[in-house]
Amino acid sequence: MDQADVMDLVMRLRAVEDELAIRNLAARFTDAVNERDAGAFRQLWSHDAVWEIGPPLAARAEGIDAIVGMMARLLAPRTLFIQLTHSGVVTFTGEDTATSRFTEREHEKGQQDYYENLAVYRDVIARGPDGWRFKRRYYEYRYLDSSAFAGAVFDPGPSPEASA
Amino acid sequence: MDQADVMDLVMRLRAVEDELAIRNLAARFTDAVNERDAGAFRQLWSHDAVWEIGPPLAARAEGIDAIVGMMARLLAPRTLFIQLTHSGVVTFTGEDTATSRFTEREHEKGQQDYYENLAVYRDVIARGPDGWRFKRRYYEYRYLDSSAFAGAVFDPGPSPEASA
Amino acid sequence: MDQADVMDLVMRLRAVEDELAIRNLAARFTDAVNERDAGAFRQLWSHDAVWEIGPPLAARAEGIDAIVGMMARLLAPRTLFIQLTHSGVVTFTGEDTATSRFTEREHEKGQQDYYENLAVYRDVIARGPDGWRFKRRYYEYRYLDSSAFAGAVFDPGPSPEASA
């Protein structure tokens, strides 16, 4: 195995790691909002990132502090908020930049309000000193149903001691 | 590190790349239909592939041109079509062949019609000169609800300039 | 490439393989229950594992035989059971141990009963002689709707000969 073969192997491994890191970024976003973990949520963004939710429930935050604040403000009134992230595609646009799209669904119940939606997250991601981070996320609504739903909401409460 | 160790490393890396490529094929399918991108959709299939949707809404196309035509025909009358691809399993059946199964859900609204469904995509995939392609996809319905739903449909429209 | 570089490469590849193996474990769980394949389901668990479903539909089994028995008992009365596994996060807690969380949704129809739910699977996973296995899965309900739904259920039946 000569030097060129080794370099090829290293590059291929790095491509795999990069793809998994970006998929994990989207998965960690969903986990952080579903677990309402502001600390984990903060680690997903570059310092100057933009988080934007499109119409009809438009909202926008620029900069990491504003983004974390928007997450807290959106979640506070909701007794139920679950985001479901489905498959997505990742496209590298440079050695340290990529875009991605993930198909999403959310279920929400507030004090007197409800919704479920279908949407696509359109992302710009960049590799910084601490790894891949969102530069921009744009939540593009495709469907929104605000009808009341009948089911019961459960507060997570304590999990069994040995579980994750 | 002797030659046998290097070969083992190369084989393991290739197994990882192959699994990710097949998972990406299913993800790109969903992205292409949700974005209504016929050009991206065409690149997912081998030339002689078969795309089959099972009962009760059976449809079938053989050969890549017929497959792309079927996609256009199915999507044309729909104001909303979102496919949600969940987890799946990939099984290698040879060095260049595999099968996969992915759990699916779709939401559709046409002129006067509606459905949401649950299904399993059963796939045969083969590696060709341009990488892994579907040889066959079979959409096996498990549940179909044609009741009208109340929510609003949003046309994607232009995304913010900087987003993906 | 000296010995330290090679070791680094091997460790990085192993980290990728481990993550994919754990993601596959969760995906194989969903596939096994959706396909009602008790043999495949058995291979997902360590011998002394615990499978627990939290309130309000609590159930618990300890040991692999009890776990496989519980799966059969839960599925038997249901004409429809589809589990949808969305994105998840994996955290390594040691060289041979990890935790994970996956966002879940299930749709069920029994003789006179129905439900759909939203939940989080909280897992402890360990590497044993045969690879990564669940030590514990805890299904934490977040939402449960037992309203009747209108759609039709389809028995999978035989797939086309050439499909997976």
Side-chain angles (χ1 to χ4, degrees), chain A residues 2-30:
Chain A
D2 64 24
Q3 194 58 24
D5 292 335
V6 171
M7 278 308 296
D8 176 62
L9 210 56
V10 171
M11 298 281 281
R12 283 167 56 191
L13 179 55
R14 188 178 167 114
V16 163
E17 290 172 328
D18 287 346
E19 182 189 331
L20 291 181
I22 291 172
R23 296 192 175 284
N24 271 312
L25 199 64
R28 289 161 57 205
F29 181 102
T30 296

PDB file of all heavy atoms in Angstrom, chain A residues 2-30:
ATOM      1  N   ASP A   2       0.826   1.987  -1.075  1.00  0.00           N
ATOM      2  CA  ASP A   2       1.675   3.171  -1.135  1.00  0.00           C
ATOM      3  C   ASP A   2       0.958   4.379  -0.550  1.00  0.00           C
ATOM      4  O   ASP A   2      -0.186   4.306  -0.110  1.00  0.00           O
ATOM      5  CB  ASP A   2       2.169   3.422  -2.569  1.00  0.00           C
ATOM      6  CG  ASP A   2       1.031   3.739  -3.512  1.00  0.00           C
ATOM      7  OD1 ASP A   2      -0.025   4.205  -3.045  1.00  0.00           O
ATOM      8  OD2 ASP A   2       1.205   3.517  -4.723  1.00  0.00           O
ATOM      9  N   GLN A   3       1.654   5.503  -0.574  1.00  0.00           N
ATOM     10  CA  GLN A   3       1.153   6.712   0.082  1.00  0.00           C
ATOM     11  C   GLN A   3      -0.175   7.190  -0.530  1.00  0.00           C
ATOM     12  O   GLN A   3      -1.067   7.642   0.187  1.00  0.00           O
ATOM     13  CB  GLN A   3       2.229   7.807  -0.020  1.00  0.00           C
ATOM     14  CG  GLN A   3       1.998   8.987   0.877  1.00  0.00           C
ATOM     15  CD  GLN A   3       1.919   8.604   2.362  1.00  0.00           C
ATOM     16  OE1 GLN A   3       2.442   7.578   2.779  1.00  0.00           O
ATOM     17  NE2 GLN A   3       1.238   9.420   3.136  1.00  0.00           N
ATOM     18  N   ALA A   4      -0.296   7.060  -1.846  1.00  0.00           N
ATOM     19  CA  ALA A   4      -1.528   7.506  -2.514  1.00  0.00           C
ATOM     20  C   ALA A   4      -2.727   6.673  -2.061  1.00  0.00           C
ATOM     21  O   ALA A   4      -3.824   7.194  -1.847  1.00  0.00           O
ATOM     22  CB  ALA A   4      -1.356   7.434  -4.032  1.00  0.00           C
ATOM     23  N   ASP A   5      -2.529   5.371  -1.896  1.00  0.00           N
ATOM     24  CA  ASP A   5      -3.613   4.502  -1.429  1.00  0.00           C
ATOM     25  C   ASP A   5      -4.048   4.881  -0.018  1.00  0.00           C
ATOM     26  O   ASP A   5      -5.231   4.883   0.300  1.00  0.00           O
ATOM     27  CB  ASP A   5      -3.151   3.036  -1.427  1.00  0.00           C
ATOM     28  CG  ASP A   5      -2.917   2.513  -2.840  1.00  0.00           C
ATOM     29  OD1 ASP A   5      -3.529   3.059  -3.771  1.00  0.00           O
ATOM     30  OD2 ASP A   5      -2.131   1.571  -2.970  1.00  0.00           O
ATOM     31  N   VAL A   6      -3.067   5.185   0.811  1.00  0.00           N
ATOM     32  CA  VAL A   6      -3.381   5.557   2.186  1.00  0.00           C
ATOM     33  C   VAL A   6      -4.176   6.853   2.218  1.00  0.00           C
ATOM     34  O   VAL A   6      -5.192   6.962   2.914  1.00  0.00           O
ATOM     35  CB  VAL A   6      -2.089   5.685   3.024  1.00  0.00           C
ATOM     36  CG1 VAL A   6      -2.401   6.287   4.391  1.00  0.00           C
ATOM     37  CG2 VAL A   6      -1.411   4.336   3.175  1.00  0.00           C
ATOM     38  N   MET A   7      -3.745   7.822   1.426  1.00  0.00           N
ATOM     39  CA  MET A   7      -4.462   9.103   1.385  1.00  0.00           C
ATOM     40  C   MET A   7      -5.899   8.901   0.921  1.00  0.00           C
ATOM     41  O   MET A   7      -6.832   9.510   1.428  1.00  0.00           O
ATOM     42  CB  MET A   7      -3.748  10.080   0.440  1.00  0.00           C
ATOM     43  CG  MET A   7      -2.571  10.788   1.053  1.00  0.00           C
ATOM     44  SD  MET A   7      -2.998  11.579   2.643  1.00  0.00           S
ATOM     45  CE  MET A   7      -4.210  12.788   2.048  1.00  0.00           C
ATOM     46  N   ASP A   8      -6.073   8.019  -0.076  1.00  0.00           N
ATOM     47  CA  ASP A   8      -7.413   7.730  -0.590  1.00  0.00           C
ATOM     48  C   ASP A   8      -8.290   7.137   0.513  1.00  0.00           C
ATOM     49  O   ASP A   8      -9.452   7.513   0.673  1.00  0.00           O
ATOM     50  CB  ASP A   8      -7.290   6.759  -1.774  1.00  0.00           C
ATOM     51  CG  ASP A   8      -8.648   6.341  -2.305  1.00  0.00           C
ATOM     52  OD1 ASP A   8      -9.391   7.231  -2.767  1.00  0.00           O
ATOM     53  OD2 ASP A   8      -8.973   5.144  -2.235  1.00  0.00           O
ATOM     54  N   LEU A   9      -7.706   6.239   1.292  1.00  0.00           N
ATOM     55  CA  LEU A   9      -8.436   5.601   2.393  1.00  0.00           C
ATOM     56  C   LEU A   9      -8.839   6.643   3.438  1.00  0.00           C
ATOM     57  O   LEU A   9      -9.967   6.653   3.926  1.00  0.00           O
ATOM     58  CB  LEU A   9      -7.513   4.546   3.027  1.00  0.00           C
ATOM     59  CG  LEU A   9      -8.145   3.318   3.665  1.00  0.00           C
ATOM     60  CD1 LEU A   9      -9.025   2.575   2.681  1.00  0.00           C
ATOM     61  CD2 LEU A   9      -7.054   2.399   4.204  1.00  0.00           C
ATOM     62  N   VAL A  10      -7.911   7.533   3.762  1.00  0.00           N
ATOM     63  CA  VAL A  10      -8.168   8.564   4.768  1.00  0.00           C
ATOM     64  C   VAL A  10      -9.280   9.504   4.297  1.00  0.00           C
ATOM     65  O   VAL A  10     -10.176   9.858   5.057  1.00  0.00           O
ATOM     66  CB  VAL A  10      -6.871   9.349   5.089  1.00  0.00           C
ATOM     67  CG1 VAL A  10      -7.162  10.563   5.952  1.00  0.00           C
ATOM     68  CG2 VAL A  10      -5.857   8.433   5.764  1.00  0.00           C
ATOM     69  N   MET A  11      -9.238   9.873   3.024  1.00  0.00           N
ATOM     70  CA  MET A  11     -10.269  10.758   2.471  1.00  0.00           C
ATOM     71  C   MET A  11     -11.642  10.087   2.481  1.00  0.00           C
ATOM     72  O   MET A  11     -12.652  10.729   2.760  1.00  0.00           O
ATOM     73  CB  MET A  11      -9.919  11.138   1.024  1.00  0.00           C
ATOM     74  CG  MET A  11      -8.638  11.899   0.848  1.00  0.00           C
ATOM     75  SD  MET A  11      -8.866  13.651   1.281  1.00  0.00           S
ATOM     76  CE  MET A  11      -9.673  14.209  -0.251  1.00  0.00           C
ATOM     77  N   ARG A  12     -11.678   8.811   2.134  1.00  0.00           N
ATOM     78  CA  ARG A  12     -12.966   8.104   2.111  1.00  0.00           C
ATOM     79  C   ARG A  12     -13.538   7.967   3.518  1.00  0.00           C
ATOM     80  O   ARG A  12     -14.749   8.117   3.724  1.00  0.00           O
ATOM     81  CB  ARG A  12     -12.786   6.719   1.466  1.00  0.00           C
ATOM     82  CG  ARG A  12     -12.677   6.784  -0.057  1.00  0.00           C
ATOM     83  CD  ARG A  12     -12.189   5.474  -0.657  1.00  0.00           C
ATOM     84  NE  ARG A  12     -13.020   4.348  -0.272  1.00  0.00           N
ATOM     85  CZ  ARG A  12     -12.708   3.070  -0.474  1.00  0.00           C
ATOM     86  NH1 ARG A  12     -11.558   2.737  -1.068  1.00  0.00           N
ATOM     87  NH2 ARG A  12     -13.524   2.109  -0.109  1.00  0.00           N
ATOM     88  N   LEU A  13     -12.678   7.691   4.476  1.00  0.00           N
ATOM     89  CA  LEU A  13     -13.152   7.578   5.858  1.00  0.00           C
ATOM     90  C   LEU A  13     -13.683   8.924   6.346  1.00  0.00           C
ATOM     91  O   LEU A  13     -14.725   8.993   7.004  1.00  0.00           O
ATOM     92  CB  LEU A  13     -12.019   7.076   6.764  1.00  0.00           C
ATOM     93  CG  LEU A  13     -12.362   6.933   8.246  1.00  0.00           C
ATOM     94  CD1 LEU A  13     -13.590   6.037   8.458  1.00  0.00           C
ATOM     95  CD2 LEU A  13     -11.169   6.382   9.015  1.00  0.00           C
ATOM     96  N   ARG A  14     -12.969   9.961   5.987  1.00  0.00           N
ATOM     97  CA  ARG A  14     -13.408  11.303   6.399  1.00  0.00           C
ATOM     98  C   ARG A  14     -14.760  11.669   5.774  1.00  0.00           C
ATOM     99  O   ARG A  14     -15.602  12.284   6.420  1.00  0.00           O
ATOM    100  CB  ARG A  14     -12.345  12.330   5.996  1.00  0.00           C
ATOM    101  CG  ARG A  14     -12.587  13.727   6.538  1.00  0.00           C
ATOM    102  CD  ARG A  14     -11.452  14.650   6.114  1.00  0.00           C
ATOM    103  NE  ARG A  14     -11.772  16.034   6.337  1.00  0.00           N
ATOM    104  CZ  ARG A  14     -11.151  16.825   7.215  1.00  0.00           C
ATOM    105  NH1 ARG A  14     -10.180  16.352   7.953  1.00  0.00           N
ATOM    106  NH2 ARG A  14     -11.503  18.086   7.360  1.00  0.00           N
ATOM    107  N   ALA A  15     -14.985  11.263   4.531  1.00  0.00           N
ATOM    108  CA  ALA A  15     -16.281  11.526   3.888  1.00  0.00           C
ATOM    109  C   ALA A  15     -17.415  10.833   4.642  1.00  0.00           C
ATOM    110  O   ALA A  15     -18.493  11.392   4.840  1.00  0.00           O
ATOM    111  CB  ALA A  15     -16.247  11.067   2.424  1.00  0.00           C
ATOM    112  N   VAL A  16     -17.162   9.609   5.069  1.00  0.00           N
ATOM    113  CA  VAL A  16     -18.163   8.867   5.851  1.00  0.00           C
ATOM    114  C   VAL A  16     -18.410   9.559   7.196  1.00  0.00           C
ATOM    115  O   VAL A  16     -19.565   9.769   7.601  1.00  0.00           O
ATOM    116  CB  VAL A  16     -17.689   7.405   6.059  1.00  0.00           C
ATOM    117  CG1 VAL A  16     -18.461   6.729   7.172  1.00  0.00           C
ATOM    118  CG2 VAL A  16     -17.810   6.619   4.759  1.00  0.00           C
ATOM    119  N   GLU A  17     -17.335   9.929   7.871  1.00  0.00           N
ATOM    120  CA  GLU A  17     -17.481  10.607   9.166  1.00  0.00           C
ATOM    121  C   GLU A  17     -18.249  11.921   9.022  1.00  0.00           C
ATOM    122  O   GLU A  17     -19.082  12.252   9.872  1.00  0.00           O
ATOM    123  CB  GLU A  17     -16.098  10.892   9.768  1.00  0.00           C
ATOM    124  CG  GLU A  17     -15.362   9.668  10.228  1.00  0.00           C
ATOM    125  CD  GLU A  17     -13.915   9.976  10.631  1.00  0.00           C
ATOM    126  OE1 GLU A  17     -13.311  10.905  10.036  1.00  0.00           O
ATOM    127  OE2 GLU A  17     -13.394   9.284  11.516  1.00  0.00           O
ATOM    128  N   ASP A  18     -17.950  12.659   7.955  1.00  0.00           N
ATOM    129  CA  ASP A  18     -18.624  13.945   7.749  1.00  0.00           C
ATOM    130  C   ASP A  18     -20.117  13.746   7.514  1.00  0.00           C
ATOM    131  O   ASP A  18     -20.942  14.471   8.070  1.00  0.00           O
ATOM    132  CB  ASP A  18     -17.996  14.702   6.572  1.00  0.00           C
ATOM    133  CG  ASP A  18     -16.623  15.270   6.922  1.00  0.00           C
ATOM    134  OD1 ASP A  18     -16.278  15.315   8.126  1.00  0.00           O
ATOM    135  OD2 ASP A  18     -15.892  15.669   5.986  1.00  0.00           O
ATOM    136  N   GLU A  19     -20.456  12.773   6.684  1.00  0.00           N
ATOM    137  CA  GLU A  19     -21.878  12.529   6.444  1.00  0.00           C
ATOM    138  C   GLU A  19     -22.587  12.154   7.743  1.00  0.00           C
ATOM    139  O   GLU A  19     -23.658  12.683   8.052  1.00  0.00           O
ATOM    140  CB  GLU A  19     -22.079  11.432   5.387  1.00  0.00           C
ATOM    141  CG  GLU A  19     -23.564  11.241   5.122  1.00  0.00           C
ATOM    142  CD  GLU A  19     -23.921  10.041   4.268  1.00  0.00           C
ATOM    143  OE1 GLU A  19     -23.121   9.616   3.429  1.00  0.00           O
ATOM    144  OE2 GLU A  19     -25.040   9.517   4.468  1.00  0.00           O
ATOM    145  N   LEU A  20     -21.975  11.261   8.509  1.00  0.00           N
ATOM    146  CA  LEU A  20     -22.612  10.845   9.771  1.00  0.00           C
ATOM    147  C   LEU A  20     -22.717  12.013  10.746  1.00  0.00           C
ATOM    148  O   LEU A  20     -23.715  12.148  11.462  1.00  0.00           O
ATOM    149  CB  LEU A  20     -21.848   9.680  10.403  1.00  0.00           C
ATOM    150  CG  LEU A  20     -21.941   8.346   9.656  1.00  0.00           C
ATOM    151  CD1 LEU A  20     -21.162   7.269  10.410  1.00  0.00           C
ATOM    152  CD2 LEU A  20     -23.393   7.897   9.466  1.00  0.00           C
ATOM    153  N   ALA A  21     -21.702  12.871  10.777  1.00  0.00           N
ATOM    154  CA  ALA A  21     -21.731  14.022  11.693  1.00  0.00           C
ATOM    155  C   ALA A  21     -22.879  14.968  11.348  1.00  0.00           C
ATOM    156  O   ALA A  21     -23.558  15.492  12.243  1.00  0.00           O
ATOM    157  CB  ALA A  21     -20.398  14.763  11.643  1.00  0.00           C
ATOM    158  N   ILE A  22     -23.132  15.162  10.063  1.00  0.00           N
ATOM    159  CA  ILE A  22     -24.221  16.062   9.650  1.00  0.00           C
ATOM    160  C   ILE A  22     -25.574  15.420   9.936  1.00  0.00           C
ATOM    161  O   ILE A  22     -26.499  16.077  10.420  1.00  0.00           O
ATOM    162  CB  ILE A  22     -24.045  16.456   8.172  1.00  0.00           C
ATOM    163  CG1 ILE A  22     -22.817  17.369   8.056  1.00  0.00           C
ATOM    164  CG2 ILE A  22     -25.296  17.138   7.630  1.00  0.00           C
ATOM    165  CD1 ILE A  22     -22.403  17.691   6.641  1.00  0.00           C
ATOM    166  N   ARG A  23     -25.705  14.145   9.670  1.00  0.00           N
ATOM    167  CA  ARG A  23     -26.953  13.442  10.031  1.00  0.00           C
ATOM    168  C   ARG A  23     -27.170  13.506  11.547  1.00  0.00           C
ATOM    169  O   ARG A  23     -28.298  13.661  12.028  1.00  0.00           O
ATOM    170  CB  ARG A  23     -26.928  11.988   9.557  1.00  0.00           C
ATOM    171  CG  ARG A  23     -26.881  11.876   8.043  1.00  0.00           C
ATOM    172  CD  ARG A  23     -27.135  10.477   7.527  1.00  0.00           C
ATOM    173  NE  ARG A  23     -27.191  10.494   6.077  1.00  0.00           N
ATOM    174  CZ  ARG A  23     -28.217  10.929   5.358  1.00  0.00           C
ATOM    175  NH1 ARG A  23     -29.305  11.356   5.961  1.00  0.00           N
ATOM    176  NH2 ARG A  23     -28.171  10.929   4.041  1.00  0.00           N
ATOM    177  N   ASN A  24     -26.097  13.370  12.294  1.00  0.00           N
ATOM    178  CA  ASN A  24     -26.223  13.450  13.750  1.00  0.00           C
ATOM    179  C   ASN A  24     -26.626  14.839  14.209  1.00  0.00           C
ATOM    180  O   ASN A  24     -27.325  14.975  15.215  1.00  0.00           O
ATOM    181  CB  ASN A  24     -24.905  13.038  14.425  1.00  0.00           C
ATOM    182  CG  ASN A  24     -24.862  11.544  14.678  1.00  0.00           C
ATOM    183  OD1 ASN A  24     -25.832  10.991  15.194  1.00  0.00           O
ATOM    184  ND2 ASN A  24     -23.778  10.900  14.312  1.00  0.00           N
ATOM    185  N   LEU A  25     -26.172  15.851  13.501  1.00  0.00           N
ATOM    186  CA  LEU A  25     -26.540  17.223  13.879  1.00  0.00           C
ATOM    187  C   LEU A  25     -28.063  17.386  13.811  1.00  0.00           C
ATOM    188  O   LEU A  25     -28.692  17.918  14.743  1.00  0.00           O
ATOM    189  CB  LEU A  25     -25.832  18.190  12.931  1.00  0.00           C
ATOM    190  CG  LEU A  25     -25.691  19.637  13.368  1.00  0.00           C
ATOM    191  CD1 LEU A  25     -24.830  19.763  14.610  1.00  0.00           C
ATOM    192  CD2 LEU A  25     -25.089  20.465  12.225  1.00  0.00           C
ATOM    193  N   ALA A  26     -28.663  16.902  12.719  1.00  0.00           N
ATOM    194  CA  ALA A  26     -30.128  16.987  12.587  1.00  0.00           C
ATOM    195  C   ALA A  26     -30.828  16.130  13.643  1.00  0.00           C
ATOM    196  O   ALA A  26     -31.849  16.532  14.216  1.00  0.00           O
ATOM    197  CB  ALA A  26     -30.548  16.566  11.179  1.00  0.00           C
ATOM    198  N   ALA A  27     -30.270  14.965  13.924  1.00  0.00           N
ATOM    199  CA  ALA A  27     -30.870  14.082  14.938  1.00  0.00           C
ATOM    200  C   ALA A  27     -30.752  14.688  16.337  1.00  0.00           C
ATOM    201  O   ALA A  27     -31.681  14.586  17.150  1.00  0.00           O
ATOM    202  CB  ALA A  27     -30.191  12.706  14.897  1.00  0.00           C
ATOM    203  N   ARG A  28     -29.635  15.354  16.610  1.00  0.00           N
ATOM    204  CA  ARG A  28     -29.439  15.977  17.917  1.00  0.00           C
ATOM    205  C   ARG A  28     -30.365  17.184  18.090  1.00  0.00           C
ATOM    206  O   ARG A  28     -30.804  17.472  19.211  1.00  0.00           O
ATOM    207  CB  ARG A  28     -27.973  16.387  18.089  1.00  0.00           C
ATOM    208  CG  ARG A  28     -27.021  15.178  18.269  1.00  0.00           C
ATOM    209  CD  ARG A  28     -25.571  15.530  17.979  1.00  0.00           C
ATOM    210  NE  ARG A  28     -25.099  16.612  18.811  1.00  0.00           N
ATOM    211  CZ  ARG A  28     -24.095  17.435  18.505  1.00  0.00           C
ATOM    212  NH1 ARG A  28     -23.452  17.284  17.343  1.00  0.00           N
ATOM    213  NH2 ARG A  28     -23.728  18.386  19.320  1.00  0.00           N
ATOM    214  N   PHE A  29     -30.635  17.893  17.000  1.00  0.00           N
ATOM    215  CA  PHE A  29     -31.606  18.987  17.046  1.00  0.00           C
ATOM    216  C   PHE A  29     -32.952  18.451  17.539  1.00  0.00           C
ATOM    217  O   PHE A  29     -33.550  18.995  18.473  1.00  0.00           O
ATOM    218  CB  PHE A  29     -31.739  19.591  15.638  1.00  0.00           C
ATOM    219  CG  PHE A  29     -32.688  20.752  15.546  1.00  0.00           C
ATOM    220  CD1 PHE A  29     -32.216  22.055  15.500  1.00  0.00           C
ATOM    221  CD2 PHE A  29     -34.064  20.548  15.486  1.00  0.00           C
ATOM    222  CE1 PHE A  29     -33.084  23.141  15.397  1.00  0.00           C
ATOM    223  CE2 PHE A  29     -34.945  21.623  15.390  1.00  0.00           C
ATOM    224  CZ  PHE A  29     -34.454  22.921  15.350  1.00  0.00           C
ATOM    225  N   THR A  30     -33.417  17.397  16.904  1.00  0.00           N
ATOM    226  CA  THR A  30     -34.723  16.821  17.263  1.00  0.00           C
ATOM    227  C   THR A  30     -34.720  16.306  18.693  1.00  0.00           C
ATOM    228  O   THR A  30     -35.675  16.518  19.451  1.00  0.00           O
ATOM    229  CB  THR A  30     -35.063  15.699  16.257  1.00  0.00           C
ATOM    230  OG1 THR A  30     -35.198  16.307  14.966  1.00  0.00           O
ATOM    231  CG2 THR A  30     -36.349  14.995  16.631  1.00  0.00           C
TER     232      THR A  30
END
